[in-house]
Amino acid sequence: ATYLHMGAKPGKIAFIGQSGTMASAMVDWAFHRGVGFSHLTTLGDGIDVDLDDLIDYLTQDRKTRAILLHMENITSPRRFVSAVRAASRSKPIIALKSGRNREAQWSAIQGPPGLESGDRVYDAVLRRAGVLRVNGTDEMFDALETLTRMKPIRNPALHILTNGFGPGVMAVDRLQFMEGRLGELKPDTAERLAAFLPKYWTRRNPIDLNYDAGPQTYMQALETLQQDQDVHNVLVMFAPTLTEDSLQIADQVIEFNKRSRLNIFTCWLGHSTIQDARHAFYDSGIPTYTTPEKAIKAFMHMVNHQRSQRVLRETPESYRLQNEDRGRARKQLLSHWESGQRILTPMETYNLLMEYGVPMNRTRFVKDSEDAINAARQLGGDVDLHLLHEEGCQPFSDSMRLSTDSTGWVRWLSTGAEVLEACRALKSHHLAARADSAFMGYAVSSSRAPSGGLGFSIGITRDPVFGPLIFCGASGARLNTLTDRQVALPPLNLVLARDLIHQTYMARVTRSVASEAERYINILAETLVTLSEMVADNPEIESLEIAPFCFDAEGAYAVMATCRLSEPMRATIMPYPRELREWVMLPRSRRHVELRPVRGEDEPAHIAFHEKLSPESIRYRYFHYRKSFSHDEMVQMLQLDYDREMAFAAVAACDDKNEHRPEGRQDCPEELLGVVRTWTDADNLQCEFAIIISDQLRGEHLGWVLMRKMIEYSRERGTIEMTGTVLPENKPMLKLAEKLGFESEYDPEDEVVMLRLQLNEPDEWQASRLSHRK
């Protein structure tokens, strides 16, 4: 049912959109580019089928190699992000988001407080989901060409071959603008090229072959570059000339590419006389582009996409909050909430952050000038004085930014007389300029000089669609001029926190002026992770701003912070479920074991665990023997979307004493004893389990303990049935399954035993779906 004006070519690309007219233009455009589709679907406003439903379907479709996604709005953010995260692990997803500005939106949505543009949230969402975002249909197909045809980029340095200096310079300009890296030529490579290039050749990249370069010259240049092990990516460019045939040169490039290790992509400039060459590149699978700018942009899409994918797959360092017991902080915040208070006072915000271990500058909050003098004496040394008033307690208030409102802040006060005079001056100015904002007292803090004058603005804000966000950027006047704030979806680990920091201009400033830049960035990353934990514990936090967050010789410190509460709103990505942790005693040995969800930081323990397993145990679990597991495989096992997957690890800590690990101890090595995991379908109908136990724990009933834990968890989340596949010779697992109530059926075709356990009673629709699967 469609009003498309033409049919779509068959292919391996799926297109999902919300606009029918947009799809019509897409088909027309794709036909010209020779792009075919496995599926082409538009939803309009949608009734009961959404983007996430189709993405889940296409993830399982083997005929689909890549997904093109055009979206206007997201109605089910948690399901959408979960579906896209799962899909992007197996195939590239390229997304085009329209309605970037309020003026273009059908129903304008208020963006998150403290951000210049709500569209930045979509950048963060798609980046976290492993999706490449583009800004137009033309760019979408260029990116598609790159992601599906270009070889993986192991080194981002680019070398450029061209038959004219002008196009090469244009390509270099665009590469530098997009912060790409231009490769260098080794002296011996330059010498070999000089043997057949004009004497006036520049001997550097880009490599100008001269206007009369023919097929043989292009081939010689490519052969020479291939001999240089530092050359990885080559953009081959050609502009039409009177003396050379574009198709003959293209044929030589195609022949060379068949046997080359180089990552080659092309740009044949012009239109009328080079169409045959472009079609030859299309047919041979070599990415080709119409302009230098498009070629470079497509290449950088690949570089940035792979970089983002590596960040998402990187194993984070283990990091625990200084205060593991956050019950007191939670109790205090709930007390404020239940009393109807929505704006925390500066002292209440200060105490909340201190409870979570955020480094705060030593500060006293006082009501009047006499108390301010006493507070200055208690702090000792020079102090800063900040006048507090109601408006300034609002997050993202202009009057809260110290560096843009010096009339509300006096620094380096040495004596009681100076403090008294500063109080009078600040109070006088407040009555003259902000009489409508109630006076709330003063904040007296130790004077500290930030290293290099650097200050970050960090904190929490909230998007009406995607929920809590963590932001980071420059503070004070820099914030207004650079619009530097970047955002990320919680939960964060140290890898994701550093990635957020590196997106800011302020991070580059820090590296250029601070001798201990990396130490500062590490401290800042830990603080961002702490804020991520804070909003997970306290979903009532609507916004929290720390400005500035500074560094000096003593370390990091937050100068001032404000906080607003609102109706609880959960994060789009489910945080680490700490509440599922428990300690159990094994029934036979009475050994204490911790059961907890796995996390990305567990990779070293899992590698050590698998190395100790017997070949039989590995075969029972994976159905064939495995000597080792790659990092990417470990990522799939440990970096989970807890909305769809769960894995419980049985961990023994301090096993030399066989004791419960003391709270807060960081030096107790963990020993992994067993793991049970489930994969749940998008409709929460079925989950499939797998379990593996250490050979040393046989007979300890650990398998029963782990399976009971997983069955209870799956039952509580509403899953209808649990399934599993077991080898017939795995008698211990079959015996355990029988005790747990599983039904078993032998499958003679695959020579395995199928296990099935009903967890909850299905409704009519669920029963119908399950019967079709059977």
Side-chain angles (χ1 to χ4, degrees):
T2 176
Y3 46 79
L4 293 178
H5 63 297
M6 61 187 299
K9 287 185 177 182
K12 297 181 179 181
I13 309 302
F15 174 82
I16 309 173
Q18 290 178 294
S19 165
T21 51
M22 186 71 189
S24 181
M26 184 72 67
V27 169
D28 206 316
W29 199 285
F31 189 89
H32 170 70
R33 300 285 292 262
V35 175
F37 295 94
S38 62
H39 299 77
L40 192 140
T41 311
T42 59
L43 295 173
D45 290 332
I47 297 175
D48 60 353
V49 177
D50 213 336
L51 291 174
D52 51 85
D53 298 307
L54 296 177
I55 292 168
D56 280 324
Y57 172 78
L58 293 171
T59 302
Q60 306 300 322
D61 182 49
R62 295 182 179 179
K63 295 179 181 178
T64 299
R65 281 189 57 198
I67 300 173
L68 302 182
L69 181 61
H70 169 243
M71 54 189 179
E72 295 171 351
N73 54 69
I74 303 299
T75 56
S76 304
R78 196 159 188 171
R79 278 184 58 99
F80 171 79
V81 172
S82 191
V84 173
R85 287 179 73 194
S88 67
R89 288 186 170 187
S90 59
K91 54 193 71 177
I93 301 180
I94 302 170
L96 172 62
K97 166 68 172 71
S98 54
R100 299 173 68 111
N101 305 300
R102 287 174 58 84
E103 293 79 8
Q105 295 167 1
W106 184 270
S107 298
I109 299 174
Q110 183 65 40
L115 292 188
E116 182 191 33
S117 168
D119 187 63
R120 192 164 286 180
V121 178
Y122 278 90
D123 284 337
V125 169
L126 296 175
R127 183 184 181 95
R128 181 67 175 270
V131 175
L132 174 62
R133 184 179 185 182
V134 295
N135 297 319
T137 52
D138 199 19
E139 189 177 323
M140 175 180 276
F141 280 115
D142 286 340
L144 175 66
E145 184 123 336
T146 311
L147 265 61
T148 57
R149 295 188 173 199
M150 191 175 286
K151 298 174 184 176
I153 296 174
R154 295 178 175 83
N155 185 312
L158 177 65
H159 290 76
I160 300 170
L161 276 183
T162 175
N163 65 338
F165 192 69
V169 170
M170 293 171 66
V172 172
D173 282 345
R174 176 59 61 171
L175 185 69
Q176 297 294 332
F177 176 77
M178 298 191 70
E179 299 183 356
R181 201 170 102 207
L182 189 66
E184 296 182 358
L185 291 174
K186 286 182 178 179
D188 56 339
T189 302
E191 287 297 327
R192 286 196 295 271
L193 288 168
F196 59 88
L197 293 182
K199 292 182 179 179
Y200 49 81
W201 175 54
T202 61
R203 291 178 173 263
R204 60 185 176 88
N205 191 14
I207 303 164
D208 180 8
L209 304 179
N210 206 29
Y211 77 94
D212 59 353
Q216 188 61 30
T217 304
Y218 270 90
M219 179 64 78
Q220 282 182 278
L222 288 169
E223 293 283 6
T224 303
L225 291 177
Q226 181 157 249
Q227 296 173 35
D228 188 337
Q229 294 302 311
D230 289 342
V231 177
H232 301 273
N233 313 292
V234 180
L235 169 59
V236 183
M237 302 177 68
F238 174 81
T241 67
L242 179 65
T243 59
E244 302 302 330
D245 186 292
S246 64
L247 182 58
Q248 290 181 1
I249 296 174
D251 288 340
Q252 285 284 26
V253 174
I254 292 168
E255 284 302 312
F256 175 82
N257 186 64
K258 292 177 181 178
R259 53 184 171 79
S260 173
R261 66 169 180 84
L262 297 177
N263 183 27
I264 292 176
F265 59 111
T266 65
C267 172
W268 257 228
L269 288 87
H271 186 79
S272 300
T273 63
I274 49 82
Q275 287 301 319
D276 290 344
R278 282 197 189 135
H279 285 302
F281 287 131
Y282 287 141
D283 294 340
S284 66
I286 297 177
T288 188
Y289 308 94
T290 56
T291 66
E293 292 82 5
K294 284 189 174 185
I296 294 299
K297 192 163 193 176
F299 173 72
M300 290 306 298
H301 275 320
M302 185 74 162
V303 171
N304 293 328
H305 182 64
Q306 288 192 184
R307 187 181 295 147
S308 296
Q309 290 283 349
R310 282 196 300 272
V311 167
L312 294 176
R313 285 173 164 78
E314 191 173 336
T315 300
E317 304 165 40
S318 181
Y319 174 69
R320 305 269 180 92
L321 298 190
Q322 294 182 20
N323 184 5
E324 281 283 325
D325 181 12
R326 284 103 79 179
R328 185 167 63 177
R330 176 66 182 153
K331 186 176 179 180
Q332 291 174 354
L333 190 135
L334 275 178
S335 175
H336 300 317
W337 170 259
E338 290 168 357
S339 69
Q341 183 181 354
R342 294 298 177 262
I343 305 294
L344 299 191
T345 67
M347 183 172 68
E348 290 165 347
T349 306
Y350 180 93
N351 291 335
L352 175 66
L353 292 169
M354 287 288 287
E355 283 288 335
Y356 273 84
V358 175
M360 305 294 295
N361 193 20
R362 290 196 307 150
T363 302
R364 301 286 186 271
F365 298 92
V366 299
K367 292 294 186 182
D368 53 37
S369 56
E370 185 175 339
D371 289 340
I373 294 170
N374 292 332
R377 290 197 189 103
Q378 292 171 10
L379 290 172
D382 293 341
V383 297
D384 299 340
L385 188 70
H386 184 205
L387 184 139
L388 306 175
H389 57 94
E390 227 170 49
E391 183 187 335
C393 295
Q394 301 264 7
F396 313 115
S397 164
D398 287 339
S399 60
M400 188 252 177
R401 298 190 221 303
L402 305 181
S403 58
T404 59
D405 186 27
S406 59
T407 54
W409 190 35
V410 181
R411 306 206 61 197
W412 302 102
L413 303 173
S414 303
T415 66
E418 290 179 352
V419 172
L420 180 61
E421 179 58 31
C423 287
R424 289 173 178 170
L426 291 176
K427 187 72 173 288
S428 174
H429 178 270
H430 169 74
L431 293 173
R434 304 181 187 274
D436 57 335
S437 180
F439 171 74
M440 298 178 63
Y442 303 96
V444 184
S445 55
S446 298
S447 296
R448 298 171 72 170
S451 176
L454 299 174
F456 282 83
S457 169
I458 61 175
I460 299 164
T461 187
R462 180 188 287 184
D463 182 77
V465 176
F466 292 101
L469 302 165
I470 307 299
F471 68 81
C472 179
S475 70
R478 293 187 183 91
L479 181 64
N480 302 323
T481 56
L482 301 176
T483 60
D484 191 35
R485 273 190 180 145
Q486 304 294 326
V487 294
L489 294 178
L492 298 181
N493 55 38
L494 288 176
V495 171
L496 295 172
R498 288 194 192 97
D499 183 56
L500 171 59
I501 297 166
H502 293 163
Q503 294 174 49
T504 67
Y505 177 82
M506 197 62 188
R508 279 174 271 175
V509 174
T510 302
R511 286 199 181 87
S512 64
V513 303
S515 59
E516 296 186 273
E518 287 308 313
R519 185 172 76 89
Y520 295 163
I521 287 174
N522 288 339
I523 295 172
L524 182 58
E526 291 175 356
T527 306
L528 292 174
V529 172
T530 300
L531 295 178
S532 170
E533 293 277 352
M534 182 186 296
V535 77
D537 294 342
N538 305 284
E540 296 84 2
I541 297 177
E542 179 191 81
S543 50
L544 184 148
E545 182 183 17
I546 299 174
F549 188 85
C550 303
F551 309 93
D552 64 9
E554 298 177 31
Y557 62 98
V559 175
M560 192 59 63
T562 54
C563 181
R564 177 198 293 274
L565 308 181
S566 185
E567 290 296 326
M569 190 173 187
R570 67 178 187 172
T572 296
I573 298 175
M574 183 175 174
Y576 181 75
R578 297 173 64 249
E579 68 279 3
L580 296 177
R581 297 168 60 185
E582 65 172 311
W583 282 86
V584 299
M585 182 184 292
L586 297 182
R588 178 164 294 182
S589 66
R590 305 188 67 79
R591 181 178 187 177
H592 286 89
V593 174
E594 182 186 15
L595 305 183
R596 62 164 176 79
V598 301
R599 51 184 178 237
E601 299 92 318
D602 292 336
E603 183 172 337
H606 276 251
I607 291 174
F609 170 71
H610 282 87
E611 287 174 348
K612 296 177 183 177
L613 290 171
S614 66
E616 180 186 55
S617 294
I618 292 177
R619 191 173 70 85
Y620 281 168
R621 164 63 178 86
Y622 299 101
F623 288 24
H624 61 278
Y625 179 63
R626 299 285 307 272
K627 286 186 177 181
S628 61
F629 294 83
S630 69
H631 168 67
D632 284 347
E633 288 172 321
M634 281 292 169
V635 166
Q636 297 280 3
M637 293 182 189
L638 301 176
Q639 296 188 21
L640 303 185
D641 178 352
Y642 297 110
D643 271 320
R644 297 192 175 198
E645 307 168 82
M646 181 52 71
F648 291 115
V651 176
C654 301
D655 57 355
D656 54 329
K657 297 180 181 179
N658 194 25
E659 294 177 350
H660 182 298
R661 179 176 56 195
E663 192 68 40
R665 281 278 302 278
Q666 302 297 311
D667 56 346
C668 287
E670 289 188 337
E671 180 189 4
L672 186 63
L673 305 177
V675 183
V676 62
R677 65 179 64 246
T678 53
W679 300 267
T680 307
D681 63 38
D683 295 317
N684 197 26
L685 295 175
Q686 283 181 323
C687 64
E688 182 179 1
F689 81 86
I691 185 170
I692 189 166
I693 304 296
S694 169
D695 295 294
Q696 284 71 37
L697 271 289
R698 287 180 180 177
E700 294 263 13
H701 296 298
L702 180 59
W704 184 87
V705 170
L706 282 170
M707 285 298 299
R708 287 302 308 167
K709 173 85 172 173
M710 186 59 80
I711 289 170
E712 291 169 9
Y713 166 79
S714 300
R715 183 173 282 131
E716 287 180 10
R717 77 187 302 268
T719 308
I720 303 303
E721 68 178 28
M722 180 179 287
T723 65
T725 307
V726 179
L727 292 174
E729 58 268 33
N730 189 354
K731 302 300 182 184
M733 185 63 233
L734 292 174
K735 186 177 179 181
L736 173 60
E738 185 179 0
K739 286 183 179 180
L740 292 168
F742 280 86
E743 299 175 1
S744 63
E745 181 181 353
Y746 180 69
D747 182 347
E749 184 176 343
D750 293 331
E751 299 181 341
V752 294
V753 177
M754 306 299 298
L755 301 177
R756 193 179 307 275
L757 175 68
Q758 183 170 319
L759 303 173
N760 290 289
E761 196 67 33
D763 60 27
E764 185 178 349
W765 176 83
Q766 291 169 332
S768 173
R769 289 291 302 274
L770 287 171
S771 66
H772 283 301
R773 294 185 183 184
K774 294 174 184 177

